Amino acid sequence: MKVIIHWFRRDLRLRDNPALAAATRDADEVVPVFVIDPAILARPDCGPNLTAFFFKCVESLAAELEGVGSRLVLLHGDPLVEIPRLVKQIGAAAVYHGRDYEPFAKERDAAMAAIGQREGFVVRSFKDVVVFESREVRKEDGGIYTVFTPYSRRWKKNALPELEKNTPGKGGLAATLQSEKLPDSGWQKDSEKLQWAGFGEAAARALLERFLEKAAAGYADNRNFPGVEGTSRLSPHLRAGTISPRQIIHAVEGWKAKQQSKAAQHSADVFISEIIWRDFYQGILDEFPHVTQRSFRPEYEAVQWPGCEEHFVAWCEGRTGYPIVDAAMRQLVATGWMHNRLRMIVAMFLTKDLHIHWQRGEEFFMRHLADGDCAANNGGWQWSASTGTDAAPYFRIFAPLSQSEKFDPEGEFIRKWVPELANVRGAAVHAPSERAPLEWGKSGYPAPIVDHAKERLVAMELYKVGLGRV
Ligand SMILES: Cc1cc2nc3c(=O)[nH]c(=O)nc-3n(C[C@H](O)[C@H](O)[C@H](O)COP(=O)(O)OP(=O)(O)OC[C@H]3O[C@@H](n4cnc5c(N)ncnc54)[C@H](O)[C@@H]3O)c2cc1C
């Protein structure tokens, strides 16, 4: 009897799971395994919200597997030790898994493949995290795209991958296999603050359906307004792999085909373009792993970041005196979530107004986001700091006040997350110390810690000097 281990990692679902489907086709029995690796849990980029979201999804996956007559084997330890040990114990012929483009994961997976070769078991990896891998979206001369628009044009020329139909059926485990428990590290408590209706594969599909029903038609208009339910909030599910980007694209294309209005069809295209950005950044990480250590563009390494610790702490704690920045940062810390528009605003503010290195912000985000993803987060930070691929030019600096007025026009989002300002009426809420000094004086809310107009000029000078353009 041929036994194959499916090693679940960031693919916590049964449907459209290429590695799992292949294992189901190739084996008489598939043994589904998840390894709780203490080294990953101890990493600074594996924060409590991400862990809580993941473990809730592992629980759901275990229940889904029970539902098809299988059982998730939970192991605890270093996968490079635990998986080969399990292979021996059950006489497995192979280990299948989805590919992951983070440098540490690539190193680990190469080590697993080497162990397999040495010990006589097959290790096969499959595309999973993306719709198209970087090698599938190449220039005519084989070159790698580093600019989004031509990348996206080329991406769209590919035929969409079919969805995998195979899911593991009956069959399963040798009765002697022991499954460990998820560690009791407080993640159940942490999961209570996450504001998602549910976890796991069924919840991800329900969220996608809700998005298509309620928000997709207006996505192009509403996606920039944090106070509106204008986006899908699928990112933590995509991070944990409870839904695949291919499932999302197929569903959105299907939805688009039924729409009569041009505006709704356009919204579908804008949404798909965001999923393409996601593939783009995964490809950048895969091809240019140095981005985790330094700027994508080497010339930006000379830019100086003279910002102070006091300002960094004020940014982290939502006490900068810029209400839109503070509301966003408080929401992040309280819930593990921040809207895309706000991520851009606070990242620009940290790098261009406070002159603090983007890596400090990148780390802070990873510690707090439930969707913390090395590729998208690094891409977003390097975009905001102007150091990345196809990034915002360094001289195009968001003004926090006009961003606030434009994207939270009624100030509802601000008042929700900065309750000190609840009584500041009208547009004064965007700049309370200036526009409503009396109410502001009583509110206990800080004055702006910097003057944007001045810091903008300082930032331009710092970039110019660093780039030798003076
Ligand atoms: C500084 C910064 C840091 C970020 N860090 C992360 C991160 O750690 N993890 C993460 O998933 N996204 C990150 N993003 C991208 C984006 O903010 C989130 O993907 C988005 O807010 C998720 O909300 P949603 O699912 O409602 O998005 P929707 O608008 O519904 O978009 C659908 C999906 O498209 C993808 N997507 C959307 N925008 C982007 C983008 N700009 N780049 C890459 N993929 C995108 C996401 O997977 C998202 O779930 C970051 C952006 C910035 C500017």
Side-chain angles (χ1 to χ4, degrees):
M1 189 170 70
K2 187 170 178 187
V3 178
I4 295 180
I5 291 174
H6 175 76
W7 179 14
F8 280 105
R9 298 111 60 95
R10 51 174 304 177
D11 58 330
L12 305 179
R13 68 184 180 285
L14 304 188
R15 290 158 194 81
D16 191 45
N17 186 326
L20 182 62
T24 310
R25 279 192 299 270
D26 296 350
D28 300 307
E29 188 175 82
V30 177
V31 176
V33 173
F34 184 84
V35 187
I36 301 141
D37 180 352
I40 292 185
L41 293 179
R43 287 166 55 127
D45 60 358
C46 181
N49 298 322
L50 181 69
T51 305
F53 197 96
F54 245 79
F55 282 174
K56 288 301 275 185
C57 294
V58 171
E59 270 186 346
S60 302
L61 175 69
E64 286 262 350
L65 281 162
E66 299 264 339
V68 294
S70 182
R71 190 167 142 218
L72 182 64
V73 178
L74 282 174
L75 300 173
H76 197 277
D78 178 354
L80 296 177
V81 175
E82 298 304 323
I83 292 209
R85 195 187 345 246
L86 181 65
V87 167
K88 263 202 202 111
Q89 186 190 343
I90 62 177
V95 176
Y96 285 10
H97 64 77
R99 274 195 282 283
D100 184 332
Y101 311 104
E102 275 194 52
F104 105 91
K106 280 162 70 172
E107 203 177 301
R108 175 197 59 196
D109 294 348
M112 184 67 84
I115 295 173
Q117 217 162 34
R118 208 172 52 236
E119 300 191 2
F121 61 91
V122 171
V123 179
R124 279 187 70 191
S125 74
F126 295 77
K127 172 171 85 174
D128 180 65
V129 169
V130 291
V131 183
F132 298 117
E133 290 185 316
S134 167
R135 62 190 169 80
E136 297 175 280
V137 190
R138 283 294 164 90
K139 295 181 183 170
E140 264 172 31
D141 64 1
I144 300 162
Y145 286 105
T146 55
V147 177
F148 178 74
T149 305
Y151 168 88
S152 159
R153 242 183 261 128
R154 174 66 191 80
W155 187 102
K156 287 178 189 158
K157 285 191 182 150
N158 285 351
L160 264 191
E162 296 274 308
L163 297 180
E164 291 288 347
K165 301 236 161 28
N166 285 325
T167 54
K170 302 277 175 203
L173 300 172
T176 50
L177 276 183
Q178 289 298 314
S179 185
E180 297 200 20
K181 288 201 163 64
L182 285 166
D184 183 15
S185 55
W187 62 270
Q188 284 285 15
K189 183 112 201 69
D190 291 333
S191 74
E192 288 165 17
K193 70 177 185 179
L194 299 174
Q195 299 185 335
W196 276 268
F199 304 93
E201 194 167 354
R205 283 201 308 275
L207 193 57
L208 174 59
E209 268 159 37
R210 183 187 163 92
F211 171 69
L212 293 176
E213 214 174 278
K214 296 200 179 271
Y219 183 76
D221 292 333
N222 297 333
R223 71 195 183 102
N224 275 310
F225 295 86
V228 172
E229 190 187 326
T231 69
S232 70
R233 292 185 58 119
L234 279 164
S235 52
H237 283 288
L238 277 161
R239 175 66 182 88
T242 48
I243 195 160
S244 79
R246 297 168 298 276
Q247 288 174 299
I248 294 176
I249 298 273
H250 275 281
V252 174
E253 289 287 7
W255 176 87
K256 181 184 163 189
K258 289 189 220 136
Q259 302 307 305
Q260 309 293 332
S261 100
K262 286 260 175 295
Q265 291 167 359
H266 171 63
S267 274
D269 292 338
V270 175
F271 181 80
I272 287 170
S273 164
E274 296 306 323
I275 302 287
I276 304 177
W277 268 106
R278 182 177 175 277
D279 270 17
F280 178 66
Y281 283 141
Q282 291 288 341
I284 293 292
L285 179 63
D286 190 19
E287 303 286 357
F288 305 99
H290 74 266
V291 294
T292 59
Q293 307 295 325
R294 51 189 195 277
S295 304
F296 173 82
R297 297 153 181 259
E299 66 274 24
Y300 281 77
E301 281 297 282
V303 173
Q304 297 297 303
W305 307 94
C308 66
E309 197 56 28
E310 201 188 318
H311 284 174
F312 181 63
V313 174
W315 179 83
C316 296
E317 294 178 354
R319 290 187 293 97
T320 67
Y322 282 84
I324 193 74
V325 172
D326 295 340
M329 294 305 293
R330 292 184 196 187
Q331 183 193 29
L332 171 65
V333 171
T335 68
W337 169 257
M338 194 193 288
H339 186 280
N340 181 59
R341 171 59 49 181
L342 300 175
R343 294 187 204 205
M344 294 194 289
I345 294 174
V346 304
M348 279 260 180
F349 188 80
L350 185 77
T351 52
K352 311 271 172 74
D353 286 80
L354 302 183
H355 320 300
I356 291 172
H357 200 295
W358 56 269
Q359 285 174 325
R360 306 259 347 245
E362 182 192 26
E363 277 165 22
F364 189 80
F365 266 33
M366 285 307 281
R367 231 178 308 137
H368 290 276
L369 282 170
D371 66 14
D373 174 82
C374 178
N377 193 43
N378 182 275
W381 274 97
Q382 294 225 35
W383 182 90
S384 308
S386 309
T387 59
T389 46
D390 205 4
Y394 73 83
F395 45 82
R396 202 172 300 149
I397 298 176
F398 283 9
L401 179 57
S402 53
Q403 291 284 316
S404 186
E405 288 173 328
K406 191 164 174 198
F407 297 112
D408 187 25
E410 305 302 323
E412 285 165 1
F413 180 80
I414 291 175
R415 288 190 193 86
K416 178 169 176 190
W417 290 102
V418 186
E420 304 96 289
L421 300 179
N423 296 325
V424 178
R425 282 192 295 268
V429 78
H430 301 290
S433 58
E434 224 176 83
R435 296 177 180 175
L438 279 181
E439 286 96 330
W440 170 71
K442 289 184 242 152
S443 71
Y445 183 68
I449 56 173
V450 291
D451 175 348
H452 170 72
K454 275 195 202 139
E455 300 311 329
R456 186 180 159 274
L457 298 177
V458 173
M460 302 237 277
E461 199 54 29
L462 287 167
Y463 277 89
K464 273 193 215 155
V465 169
L467 293 167
R469 292 185 193 164
V470 277

